[in-house]
Amino acid sequence: MVLKIFFPQCCNTADSGLLVGHWIPGHNSAVVLAVIHYPFIPGQVKKYLSELQSQTQVDLTVLGSWSMPKEGQEGMDSFLKDLSTIFPQKCWLQLSREIGKRGFICQVVQNNGKLLQDQEQKNGDESSEGDKIILIHYDQRKVMLSQLHPVQDVGQKSDIEPSELRLVFQTVAQSQPLFFLDKYDDGPLKLTHWQSEGREASIIAELLKQASVPVCIFLTWLLSLWHWFCMVLKMLFISSKLSTCVQSGYRTVHFKTVFSPKKAATHMEFMRKANIFVSFLLDIALGLLLISWLYRENRISKLADTLVPVADRVAKELQELLEWLMGAPAGLKMNRALDQVLGRFFLYHIHLWSSYIHLMSPFIERILWYVGLSACLGLTFALSVLSDIVALLTFHIYCFYVYGARLYCLKIYGLSSLWRLFRGKKWNVLRQRVDSCSYDLDQLFIGTLLFTILLFLLPTTALYYLVFTLLRLVVVLFQGVIHLSVDFINSFALFAIGQRICRPYRLAEGVKFKVLCQEPGTPLHLMMEINPLKCSSVLRCYRTPTYSCYPKDSWAALCKKLFVGELIYPWKQKTDKTD
Amino acid sequence: MGADSGPGAPAAVPWRKVLYERQPFPDNYVDRCFLEELRRNIRVRQYCYWAVVRETGLIAQQVSCVAVFLTLWSYMEQGDLVPSAVLWVCLGCALLGYGLYEILGGSCVRERTRLADLQSSTIFLAFTFGFSPVLKTLTESVSTDTVHAMSAVMLLAHLVSFPYAQPSPPGSLSLNAALFGSVCLASRLPGALHTFTMLSCAVLVFALWPCLLHRMREKAEWSFPWAAVLVCLAGVRGLGSLWPEGALLLLLALLTLTLVCPLLLVHLQRHKDNIHGPWDEAEIREDLSRFLN
């Protein structure tokens, strides 16, 4: 049987006294949390420990005694041995140090009086398991602040038995109230633990903590007003289409999380709050940078001046494209009459669009100036506004795409149905299959005529559909890139990465052991160091869930939709409900 | 498998063809009565040569119908025929055919009322007339060779899928293929009225004529061979005025089809070897029509 004792490094040089800690249930190990020094009254020690037990929910007990030899304190050893009778234990640990030696000497007395020693059996019998003791040193402050991954909350009921390491971490983290009293305090008990090395405090941090609660309450009230306003806006259908509205709604939800007056209960909640707050600050900073760049040297008016000519250029290019389609594009033979009809129809649309743009041109600069100011709300806002502007400017392409797709879809549907008529079959809706059918003479006749007409007009419609679909896909791709970058800014866990780089011990993946001292006559001494989480795991674990733009259909489904002529909306946005 | 093979000596008990009893015979015992119930060719019909020739007339006349149609189209394309004249002739033929149909089917109960017939013809006429300008421009951009090839394939499909056994409601695929081919050809004609005329001819020849022929076969059996011969002659003559070699080929084909193929069929009957036995599916022999009334 191997007995593991976790010993804090800060107590290596502590004066003699009692070891206070916790036996890990189910595993043969103990965690030493603090050392109580002389003089003490055993009754007070017991009272203090029971008080702490109710506060921390950790079963704190006196584990044993610790003796550090000093001048003027001879006879301490016998006194320490007698203490085992005062504090009844199953196992009583007796750790002691000698001057000049690195290792500790450890003796364990069990309840039945048997002595366990760390020495090997005298008779040299290899087969019997020698009772071994391993002393594992740990940095108490780091272990207290660290969080073991994958995260399992303390109050959570989980099927998996927490491992020994997890129990050790949990014990140290939960014993925080133990570390309030120190050996420098004027109290009945004098303890040594990590705080004895020096207490750190910061006035500013304390002031901020005090001030944050009323600020949070005020901001929550503001947010509720804003949320009510957004509800009203949501009635408008268009608000779900404009990405700016979506982004603002999303940020509102974020703020609600961050500014709620309730303190974060679990580690994950705290990390999420911190991540959202930090990424929001970064967003604002980038936005202000953008504003300072935009509004310098009158760039806004330059931008406005180039906007109308660009829109005109797009219209002219579209017109030329249509003229090309109305001729004989790429040598393809089109049906002249249908060609002319479709071409003229689309040309008229472009003409309407250009006149609309020209009507708006005097106001563009003013509008842009105010819209540019919205970048102070964050870079994500500026990008969303850009995406919306692009959508508005290419609205005519969207219209053409819808017309072309609908015409093509109708044609394909009609053709497939009439092809079945051609063969003398029909679609059985009840059985969802193709059945034979005896048609009437006039049905056959009209069906064949329509089939012929649709078949010969197919190349023309297909070409128009192809051209406009390609244009639409280009626009959609551009918008998709913008959305992806917005999404990235929203979901990047900056705070977690910062913690990982600056304070790597806070996010622990596991531990590694280093051998400190292996002398005969002393137990094995190991140093436990925290293994920080990998950066990729940090990113994956702490990613803020967003309305991530992901393609709604797989490639195969998308191609099929394109072929049949269904309208495609390639980027789907998850609503909050599915988060 | 020969007869009585195997080492088993026949016991006093005769062998029975059952599996649910243990018999004192080995597993591979072959009895004397093996394959007693085998029958050969019990349902082979003996064809009479001239009867088969008579039936083949239907196929021959269908081929000639296609030839007649192609002749008409060719004349209209060359401009020798005035569309309005052809249209009047078509109308006359249609009325004549309808009258004949009514006379021949006098005792039969009508499936469709006269009103329904009138409705069908109105729909057809209106539709075709309305769509003929569209139909005319359909194949403008397609090359002539493609159009001819498509029509040829479609008319061939029509001939192949024609329901020779039951031609009265014309089969979907055959009629549609014929109409598709005729639309392809009609769109090559110079004017919209030409297109309309061509389509009317197509409906007459491919949709209405088989119905009339079937009625004639049912009611006046003697008239069928004369009608078939008339159509074949018209086809050959029409083709001959355009392309004499083609007419010769058509004549040869028709003769082969009508005279040589039945000979082959009758000659090959003696190689028939169908076997029937107790393993066939059960056939109901009694007359079940008493359940129908």
Side-chain angles (χ1 to χ4, degrees):
Chain A
M1 281 294 286
V2 178
L3 179 68
K4 294 184 276 261
I5 304 176
F6 290 85
F7 197 77
Q9 264 189 319
C10 46
C11 295
N12 276 352
T13 51
D15 292 334
S16 314
L18 281 174
L19 291 170
V20 169
H22 173 62
W23 283 99
I24 309 276
H27 304 93
N28 205 18
S29 42
V31 179
V32 175
L33 290 168
V35 176
I36 300 183
H37 299 297
Y38 297 115
F40 61 82
I41 304 171
Q44 275 189 333
V45 170
K46 284 192 195 165
K47 197 175 89 173
Y48 182 61
L49 283 180
S50 58
E51 261 175 29
L52 279 175
Q53 245 181 347
S54 54
Q55 255 189 325
T56 62
Q57 322 289 332
V58 175
D59 193 11
L60 291 170
T61 50
V62 175
L63 295 174
S65 66
W66 163 252
S67 95
M68 177 80 161
K70 257 176 152 175
E71 298 111 25
Q73 284 192 339
E74 295 87 5
M76 200 59 82
D77 291 343
S78 53
F79 176 55
L80 289 170
K81 280 205 191 79
D82 297 332
L83 277 173
S84 62
T85 50
I86 307 178
F87 298 102
Q89 287 303 317
K90 242 184 12 194
C91 259
W92 181 260
L93 302 170
Q94 283 174 334
L95 297 170
S96 58
R97 270 193 95 156
E98 281 176 13
I99 306 170
K101 261 199 174 170
R102 271 189 68 197
F104 300 176
I105 300 175
C106 181
Q107 282 179 342
V108 181
V109 180
Q110 284 196 318
N111 214 3
N112 48 15
K114 203 171 86 163
L115 201 68
L116 286 165
Q117 292 218 325
D118 54 316
Q119 288 149 349
E120 284 135 27
Q121 300 289 7
K122 286 285 190 213
N123 52 17
D125 191 356
E126 292 283 328
S127 62
S128 72
E129 306 109 41
D131 293 311
K132 284 217 164 54
I133 305 175
I134 300 181
L135 268 164
I136 302 175
H137 295 260
Y138 66 97
D139 189 330
Q140 202 170 40
R141 181 166 164 270
K142 287 193 180 167
V143 171
M144 184 180 78
L145 291 173
S146 145
Q147 173 70 29
L148 200 60
H149 290 79
V151 177
Q152 267 177 19
D153 290 327
V154 172
Q156 221 178 23
K157 268 253 178 238
S158 69
D159 298 327
I160 320 163
E161 266 298 312
S163 64
E164 188 179 343
L165 196 65
R166 196 175 282 278
L167 287 170
V168 168
F169 274 68
Q170 270 174 10
T171 309
V172 179
Q174 280 179 304
S175 316
Q176 287 214 1
L178 181 62
F179 305 131
F180 290 160
L181 273 186
D182 200 357
K183 73 179 178 193
Y184 303 111
D185 286 330
D186 296 322
L189 294 169
K190 301 212 187 295
L191 292 112
T192 300
H193 41 69
W194 66 270
Q195 293 262 38
S196 318
E197 286 174 5
R199 207 180 287 213
E200 46 182 71
S202 152
I203 298 280
I204 301 179
E206 290 300 318
L207 275 176
L208 275 178
K209 273 198 205 153
Q210 294 300 317
S212 64
V213 175
V215 168
C216 279
I217 295 179
F218 174 64
L219 283 170
T220 317
W221 177 77
L222 267 183
L223 271 175
S224 57
L225 274 183
W226 174 249
H227 190 66
W228 174 83
F229 179 63
C230 276
M231 280 289 155
V232 170
L233 260 190
K234 246 194 230 219
M235 300 297 175
L236 295 171
F237 160 75
I238 201 152
S239 70
S240 68
K241 297 283 176 209
L242 286 177
S243 54
T244 318
C245 297
V246 173
Q247 173 72 5
S248 73
Y250 194 61
R251 275 281 183 232
T252 318
V253 169
H254 272 172
F255 290 162
K256 268 197 178 163
T257 327
V258 170
F259 292 132
S260 74
K262 217 164 48 95
K263 196 168 142 68
T266 63
H267 170 81
M268 290 303 281
E269 271 184 37
F270 169 69
M271 291 299 281
R272 185 182 284 208
K273 272 191 173 184
N275 278 330
I276 292 175
F277 189 62
V278 170
S279 79
F280 173 61
L281 285 180
L282 177 75
D283 202 13
I284 301 266
L286 287 173
L288 289 173
L289 213 68
L290 183 71
I291 286 187
S292 74
W293 178 83
L294 260 184
Y295 283 86
R296 215 184 302 164
E297 295 171 22
N298 218 7
R299 283 211 179 92
I300 285 277
S301 58
K302 278 196 214 149
L303 202 69
D305 282 339
T306 53
L307 206 65
V308 173
V310 160
D312 266 345
R313 180 91 194 285
V314 167
K316 195 157 115 21
E317 293 283 334
L318 268 181
Q319 239 171 342
E320 276 176 22
L321 180 73
L322 280 172
E323 306 269 331
W324 179 70
L325 281 179
M326 275 160 73
L332 289 171
K333 312 267 178 57
M334 318 269 276
N335 187 301
R336 189 147 315 152
L338 187 63
D339 220 350
Q340 299 282 324
V341 164
L342 286 178
R344 292 231 181 91
F345 177 64
F346 290 132
L347 276 174
Y348 182 63
H349 265 78
I350 295 181
H351 169 75
L352 276 180
W353 180 252
S354 330
S355 32
Y356 174 68
I357 291 278
H358 282 283
L359 204 71
M360 285 271 294
S361 58
F363 307 109
I364 294 243
E365 190 181 335
R366 229 13 39 204
I367 293 175
L368 266 186
W369 203 88
Y370 287 119
V371 158
L373 277 182
S374 77
C376 72
L377 290 169
L379 186 67
T380 48
F381 255 85
L383 285 175
S384 311
V385 165
L386 178 69
S387 160
D388 286 335
I389 288 180
V390 164
L392 280 177
L393 278 184
T394 57
F395 188 64
H396 47 349
I397 295 182
Y398 176 66
C399 278
F400 289 172
Y401 165 70
V402 171
Y403 295 151
R406 288 259 182 254
L407 203 63
Y408 181 73
C409 177
L410 208 66
K411 179 160 285 208
I412 291 284
Y413 184 70
L415 262 180
S416 61
S417 172
L418 287 173
W419 172 243
R420 285 194 284 264
L421 181 136
F422 195 92
R423 286 164 26 222
K425 298 203 188 293
K426 145 182 106 109
W427 176 251
N428 188 339
V429 185
L430 194 62
R431 294 290 208 105
Q432 294 288 313
R433 64 173 188 200
V434 178
D435 272 345
S436 63
C437 170
S438 58
Y439 289 100
D440 276 345
L441 201 60
D442 37 0
Q443 282 172 331
L444 282 178
F445 179 71
I446 297 178
T448 310
L449 266 190
L450 284 177
F451 176 73
T452 322
I453 294 175
L454 283 181
L455 187 68
F456 280 106
L457 293 180
L458 187 67
T460 316
T461 340
L463 192 70
Y464 274 91
Y465 171 66
L466 188 73
V467 166
F468 291 134
T469 307
L470 283 176
L471 284 175
R472 170 90 185 128
L473 281 180
V474 163
V475 171
V476 160
L477 215 67
F478 180 66
Q479 277 190 311
V481 163
I482 293 183
H483 282 158
L484 275 177
S485 45
V486 165
D487 191 45
F488 178 69
I489 297 178
N490 271 342
S491 72
F492 190 62
L494 196 61
F495 182 72
I497 289 284
Q499 257 200 345
R500 168 71 181 82
I501 293 173
C502 303
R503 289 186 167 52
Y505 59 82
R506 292 198 90 142
L507 303 167
E509 197 177 25
V511 292
K512 51 184 188 249
F513 295 100
K514 207 169 65 168
V515 175
L516 281 180
C517 158
Q518 199 178 11
E519 295 163 9
T522 55
L524 180 65
H525 287 263
L526 296 171
M527 177 72 196
M528 183 170 87
E529 280 165 8
I530 296 180
N531 224 3
L533 202 56
K534 281 198 291 268
C535 280
S536 55
S537 313
V538 168
L539 280 176
R540 200 169 18 104
C541 195
Y542 290 108
R543 195 176 167 278
T544 321
T546 58
Y547 61 99
S548 57
C549 289
Y550 63 96
K552 188 154 79 157
D553 311 300
S554 63
W555 284 112
L558 192 70
C559 285
K560 183 172 175 289
K561 275 199 180 171
L562 280 176
F563 189 69
V564 170
E566 268 180 52
L567 290 176
I568 46 170
Y569 300 101
W571 304 107
K572 178 175 183 314
Q573 297 180 342
K574 278 198 287 192
T575 57
D576 290 322
K577 287 196 201 102
T578 58
D579 255 3
Chain B
M1 286 286 175
D4 300 295
S5 61
V13 198
W15 178 84
R16 288 197 300 147
K17 194 172 152 193
V18 292
L19 283 175
Y20 47 81
E21 267 188 25
R22 247 193 194 288
Q23 301 187 68
F25 296 100
D27 285 339
N28 58 353
Y29 176 70
V30 180
D31 201 55
R32 205 172 303 130
C33 66
F34 183 62
L35 287 185
E36 241 174 23
E37 291 168 68
L38 179 71
R39 303 279 178 271
R40 291 182 188 274
N41 292 337
I42 49 178
R43 275 184 228 115
V44 165
R45 284 169 29 169
Q46 294 301 323
Y47 289 119
C48 171
Y49 176 69
W50 288 112
V52 177
V53 167
R54 206 184 151 99
E55 297 298 321
T56 346
L58 184 60
I59 310 178
Q61 73 87 32
Q62 195 62 29
V63 175
S64 317
C65 274
V66 171
V68 164
F69 178 73
L70 286 175
T71 321
L72 265 175
W73 174 78
S74 187
Y75 274 125
M76 288 199 63
E77 208 213 355
Q78 287 169 1
D80 293 334
L81 285 177
V82 183
S84 40
V86 177
L87 208 56
W88 284 117
V89 168
C90 278
L91 195 63
C93 286
L95 285 171
L96 202 68
Y98 190 67
L100 202 61
Y101 192 82
E102 288 296 305
I103 294 170
L104 281 177
S107 62
C108 275
V109 59
R110 294 186 58 86
E111 296 178 343
R112 297 160 59 99
T113 61
R114 294 239 163 78
L115 192 62
D117 284 342
L118 190 65
Q119 203 178 359
S120 292
S121 50
T122 320
I123 289 176
F124 150 71
L125 281 172
F127 227 86
T128 323
F129 193 66
F131 267 117
S132 53
V134 178
L135 290 173
K136 184 176 161 350
T137 62
L138 272 186
T139 56
E140 250 178 355
S141 53
V142 185
S143 72
T144 316
D145 294 336
T146 319
V147 170
H148 288 175
M150 262 198 310
S151 318
V153 165
M154 282 299 156
L155 287 172
L156 205 65
H158 161 76
L159 282 176
V160 164
S161 62
F162 190 79
Y164 295 106
Q166 177 68 352
S168 177
S172 300
L173 184 58
S174 66
L175 183 62
N176 286 340
L179 284 175
F180 189 92
S182 49
V183 166
C184 287
L185 286 176
S187 60
R188 280 282 174 214
L189 293 175
L193 194 60
H194 294 81
T195 316
F196 176 50
T197 318
M198 206 71 244
L199 276 179
S200 317
C201 286
V203 165
L204 212 60
V205 168
F206 293 119
L208 299 179
W209 168 246
C211 297
L212 180 61
L213 198 65
H214 188 70
R215 184 56 74 88
M216 278 166 63
R217 277 186 78 183
E218 275 181 356
K219 301 295 175 187
E221 192 61 43
W222 54 270
S223 58
F224 171 65
W226 293 112
V229 164
L230 202 67
V231 172
C232 292
L233 278 176
V236 171
R237 178 80 182 80
L239 206 59
S241 60
L242 286 172
W243 184 32
E245 294 83 5
L248 197 63
L249 277 173
L250 182 66
L251 189 63
L252 272 173
L254 289 176
L255 284 175
T256 318
L257 202 63
T258 326
L259 297 175
V260 177
C261 292
L263 196 66
L264 218 57
L265 180 69
V266 171
H267 184 67
L268 288 173
Q269 283 292 91
R270 60 199 178 95
H271 290 294
K272 241 178 155 35
D273 189 14
N274 289 348
I275 53 175
H276 306 268
W279 55 82
D280 287 342
E281 287 175 17
E283 280 187 26
I284 302 172
R285 305 261 172 178
E286 56 179 86
D287 185 22
L288 290 176
S289 60
R290 62 195 165 98
F291 291 117
L292 286 175
N293 302 10

